[in-house]
Amino acid sequence: MKKFVSSAVVLLLSLIPLIAKAEIIGSVSTTFKLLGANDKIIIEAFDDPKVSGVACHLSRAKTGGVKGSLGVAEDTSDASIACRQIGPIQVHDIKPDGEEVFTQKTSLLFKKIHVVRFLDKTRNVLVYLVYSDKLVDGSPKNSISTVPLGQLN
């Protein structure tokens, strides 16, 4: 029975998708708010969980004020991404047609920012797309970054 339980736990953990966690690198204030935090641009970094040797830096808007300080403000859809090779690249079972590698809430309930990785086999390049969604309507604002694979290890 104990072996069955541990096998079931391993199976369940393997079904959980690998999603990167971001580290805040820094921020700059863009708008002064008399009450609450200022509006900011936040810079975050994360490593691709299935492609070792690749890191991405994401800049995004963070709404301040009283609502922002309480965590109930909705951030704008403005975001930019830059991904680079930071070491030897090793690809671990990636989907070529798009796989979410990072997600972060940008409002209390309805909005998230996503980073999706694509594989351009013809050019041997990874393409990272950042975009924002809402429960009802997404945003056309987006940004991409590419990382050439060269010779894979």
Side-chain angles (χ1 to χ4, degrees):
M1 180 68 175
K2 188 174 185 179
K3 185 175 181 175
F4 174 76
V5 171
S6 64
S7 297
V9 170
V10 169
L11 176 65
L12 287 173
L13 289 175
S14 69
L15 295 176
I16 297 171
L18 291 174
I19 299 290
K21 299 287 184 195
E23 169 190 352
I24 295 177
I25 301 299
S27 65
V28 295
S29 292
T30 58
T31 305
F32 173 75
K33 299 286 185 176
L34 188 59
L35 298 174
N38 292 341
D39 291 342
K40 299 177 187 177
I41 297 173
I42 295 176
I43 302 169
E44 298 171 306
F46 64 90
D47 297 321
D48 188 322
K50 288 191 176 180
V51 182
S52 57
V54 173
C56 296
H57 290 86
L58 179 70
S59 67
R60 62 183 184 88
K62 179 79 175 149
T63 303
V66 174
K67 286 184 177 181
S69 296
L70 295 174
V72 296
E74 184 171 297
D75 296 336
T76 67
S77 298
D78 302 310
S80 179
I81 191 167
C83 299
R84 300 291 184 266
Q85 179 178 356
I86 59 167
I89 294 178
Q90 292 185 340
V91 178
H92 309 283
D93 190 34
I94 65 171
K95 297 176 184 175
D97 57 347
E99 184 172 13
E100 189 168 274
V101 295
F102 176 81
T103 186
Q104 176 125 11
K105 284 186 170 188
T106 54
S107 76
L108 185 61
L109 297 173
F110 304 113
K111 193 173 183 181
K112 291 183 181 178
I113 196 162
H114 302 270
V115 176
V116 179
R117 177 198 340 96
F118 295 88
L119 174 61
D120 179 349
K121 289 182 183 180
T122 304
R123 291 158 196 84
N124 203 27
V125 169
L126 294 173
V127 180
Y128 293 85
L129 166 70
V130 62
Y131 71 96
S132 178
D133 73 353
K134 278 186 172 181
L135 186 63
V136 176
D137 190 13
S139 170
K141 294 182 179 183
N142 64 81
S143 179
I144 65 167
S145 184
T146 59
V147 177
L149 291 173
Q151 297 295 334
L152 294 178
N153 293 331

